[in-house]
Amino acid sequence: MGYTNYWHQHNDFTDEQWKSIKEEYDYIKEVCKDIIVDETTKTNEIVFNGIGEQSHETFVLNKDAKPFNFKKDYEGQDTSFYFCKTAMKPYDIAVWYMLTQIQRICPSISISRDYP
């Protein structure tokens, strides 16, 4: 199944926004501790997936709109566009919660998702 969550991040998050986003992530890590596994290794990113067979595609959010190693795949690519396929597995709720909180903290972020 190709169920996907989408977002557009045009600008870097401010330090204040990033602090709030990280606090929301700390909350979701506690509430969803039986659903997600934290794969974050850097302070300027949030990375998680579902646990075990419940995993699908890793959710990755960077503080910077375009991480230092970002390269366009093709001419005219929308470099603000990001997505995470969850196949409607249980960790989808954590992905969607994170995106809604990110949009609340930073209203310039647009979010959407596929509907079943």
Side-chain angles (χ1 to χ4, degrees):
M1 180 115 311
Y3 188 85
T4 307
N5 296 275
Y6 310 93
W7 66 99
H8 283 86
Q9 180 183 355
H10 296 281
N11 302 305
D12 297 348
F13 294 112
T14 66
D15 290 341
E16 184 177 319
Q17 289 169 332
W18 190 243
K19 181 180 180 288
S20 295
I21 290 167
K22 294 285 274 194
E23 287 170 357
E24 291 297 335
Y25 182 52
D26 288 341
Y27 169 76
I28 203 69
K29 284 190 297 186
E30 179 62 29
V31 171
C32 294
K33 64 182 172 239
D34 298 329
I35 298 172
I36 67 168
V37 59
D38 180 25
E39 299 175 356
T40 304
T41 60
K42 301 174 188 165
T43 59
N44 64 341
E45 69 180 8
I46 292 172
V47 182
F48 67 89
N49 204 330
I51 292 177
E53 292 182 14
Q54 296 303 315
S55 67
H56 198 71
E57 187 171 272
T58 304
F59 175 85
V60 179
L61 180 74
N62 286 285
K63 183 178 187 279
D64 302 322
K66 290 168 197 64
F68 76 93
N69 60 350
F70 182 87
K71 294 178 184 153
K72 282 186 176 184
D73 294 324
Y74 56 90
E75 188 64 35
Q77 178 181 357
D78 181 353
T79 59
S80 71
F81 178 71
Y82 297 90
F83 63 92
C84 177
K85 290 185 177 194
T86 62
M88 294 181 77
K89 293 181 178 178
Y91 83 108
D92 178 72
I93 192 70
V95 172
W96 188 243
Y97 176 85
M98 281 306 306
L99 290 175
T100 60
Q101 293 308 303
I102 291 163
Q103 186 180 50
R104 178 185 60 79
I105 293 163
C106 184
S108 66
I109 299 289
S110 62
I111 63 173
S112 62
R113 65 199 280 184
D114 293 336
Y115 294 100

